[in-house]
Amino acid sequence: MSDAVHYQVVIAGGGLVGASAALALARRGVRVGLFERRYCGAQASGVNYGGVRCQGRPAEQMPLAMRARRVWDRLPELIGIDGELVVSGHLRLARRDSDFAVLETWAAMAREHGLETGLLAGAAFRKRYPWLGGAALGGSLCMSDGHANPRLVSPAFARAAQRAGAVVREQTALTDIAHDGTRFQLRAGDERITADWLINSAGAWANTVAGFFNEAVPMKPIYPNMWVTEPLPRFIAHNLGVVGGGVYARQVERGNCVIGGGRGHGDGEYAQPSTQTTRAVMRDACALLPALRDALLIRTWSGVEGETPDSNPVIGASQKVPRLLHAFGFSGGGFLLAPGVGEVLADLVIDGETSTPLDAFAIGRFNRSAIPAVL
Ligand SMILES: Cc1cc2nc3c(=O)[nH]c(=O)nc-3n(C[C@H](O)[C@H](O)[C@H](O)COP(=O)(O)OP(=O)(O)OC[C@H]3O[C@@H](n4cnc5c(N)ncnc54)[C@H](O)[C@@H]3O)c2cc1C
């Protein structure tokens, strides 16, 4: 076995969270190693729906979401491509009268975070959106939201991190993870590695890493169900969602409509879409978007994501080990957040603090006899 290679920061997991942390750290001059057991951006970060959406998020996520959204505007400068980011606006639809109250309450909360949305209903709504079906009664439009191509964006963050000086190792799982009282000791294949800091961004598998420190949290794998149509004449102007969730849709430049909703199947390691779910959710989608009725579905898929009991991620310091940072459990909403999470993790490593509030994401919230986290 070779001598140990030392890094200031080792990152477990090359999804968008790990890769954006690697990029943020490398850009700030830190010697960082990004280890991915498969291929960077090939798991949830590369197969998701592609929603870049602040609208609909809970209040506690808003500061992080707003910070992350600003990073998305800098993609060409940061990763060398625009990732097919389209600032289309996100239209959150009301399907029943009670949904309007939800939209109004959310709009008031978002305004406090500096985010404006416009509510529309009745004849004005119908006139503006003739392509929406009768199931949509009105909606709230957040113009700064949009969508992007996850298959391009997520690997591009890892490549950019490498160009910025990070060591990026694919097909290399981190195992035998321990802390010897001074630093982390790890194994990556035949290689022995040491590190001052460890970032656990192993996605749905993050409890394996946390488990080495007896710090696993209640998290279960989920398998969001997705499909895409043949190219259709352009008609969906915005990224679409509904109050209460359950169906979302966007149309890409080429005309294909990407639609999601419900759950597929999986075994914690691999995911499969569900035909039954696709059929059921497609009925809801057609009630909102009648032009989909005769569309051919050309592909369905799913992916593995970690969901926590409160649907908020775990972001921040371990309670068990100094200089261990967790960032996982994004519960189906981490694509928008990840570039902001990378910056926040770099703040914690380099500055020992961050201006972005993280209290709601503390790992200790799952532990009744909470102990303070240790940086
Ligand atoms: C089908 C689907 C649709 C979604 N739609 C949206 C959406 O529209 N908008 C949105 O905001 N979010 C969405 N999400 C959620 C979003 O994709 C995730 O929250 C986000 O990608 C999580 O990023 P991550 O880096 O934490 O996880 P991942 O991308 O899963 O990355 C974790 C990585 O860690 C690696 N790994 C695990 N263990 C180890 C180890 N021991 N050593 C090395 N590597 C390891 C894995 O191989 C994996 O590549 C969706 C998710 C799915 C699955």
Side-chain angles (χ1 to χ4, degrees), residues 88-365:
S88 58
H90 179 261
L91 182 63
R92 194 175 180 211
L93 297 168
R95 292 180 290 184
R96 48 193 76 80
D97 288 341
S98 57
D99 291 347
F100 284 107
V102 175
L103 293 176
E104 278 164 2
T105 307
W106 194 88
M109 180 277 288
R111 197 166 303 123
E112 287 173 25
H113 293 276
L115 187 63
E116 288 296 331
T117 51
L119 270 76
L120 208 57
F125 176 79
R126 249 329 107 238
K127 189 166 175 217
R128 180 159 177 184
Y129 298 114
W131 42 272
L132 280 171
L137 304 180
S140 155
L141 180 62
C142 178
M143 271 320 292
S144 53
D145 283 345
H147 52 100
N149 186 335
R151 284 190 181 269
L152 298 179
V153 170
S154 300
F157 263 87
R159 288 196 299 272
Q162 195 163 28
R163 285 195 299 274
V167 172
V168 177
R169 297 277 304 277
E170 295 189 308
Q171 294 189 278
T172 310
L174 287 177
T175 56
D176 301 353
I177 305 172
H179 193 268
D180 66 9
T182 308
R183 52 174 51 171
F184 290 94
Q185 302 277 351
L186 315 96
R187 189 183 290 267
D190 265 355
E191 206 173 309
R192 216 161 55 73
I193 288 170
T194 60
D196 301 323
W197 290 80
L198 174 63
I199 293 177
N200 173 15
S201 55
W205 304 273
N207 266 339
T208 309
V209 176
F212 281 105
F213 305 101
N214 200 20
E215 202 169 29
V217 305
M219 178 170 74
K220 62 171 192 199
I222 57 167
Y223 314 99
N225 202 61
M226 309 283 316
W227 58 100
V228 63
T229 70
E230 62 184 323
L232 300 172
R234 297 290 299 280
F235 71 107
I236 306 180
H238 308 299
N239 178 8
L240 298 180
V242 295
V243 173
V247 56
Y248 35 99
R250 66 187 180 98
Q251 191 169 22
V252 301
E253 181 75 25
R254 194 163 171 267
N256 308 78
C257 297
V258 182
I259 308 165
R263 298 280 186 253
H265 309 292
D267 60 4
E269 191 60 31
Y270 295 101
Q272 270 194 332
S274 153
T275 309
Q276 213 179 355
T277 302
T278 305
R279 281 209 184 104
V281 180
M282 194 58 180
R283 270 194 286 275
D284 290 343
C286 289
L288 295 169
L289 298 162
L292 290 178
R293 267 188 204 133
D294 297 320
L296 189 67
L297 308 191
I298 58 172
R299 190 164 65 90
T300 67
W301 72 96
S302 183
V304 188
E305 165 77 326
E307 185 181 69
T308 66
D310 60 11
S311 296
N312 268 322
V314 173
I315 307 172
S318 159
Q319 289 188 310
K320 298 284 174 92
V321 190
R323 298 183 168 191
L324 168 62
L325 299 177
H326 297 291
F328 62 87
F330 287 87
S331 307
F335 186 56
L336 163 92
L337 296 177
V341 176
E343 285 193 353
V344 161
L345 294 169
D347 291 347
L348 293 176
V349 168
I350 297 164
D351 309 324
E353 60 183 3
T354 181
S355 58
T356 304
L358 298 178
D359 287 352
F361 315 133
I363 197 163
R365 71 187 191 274

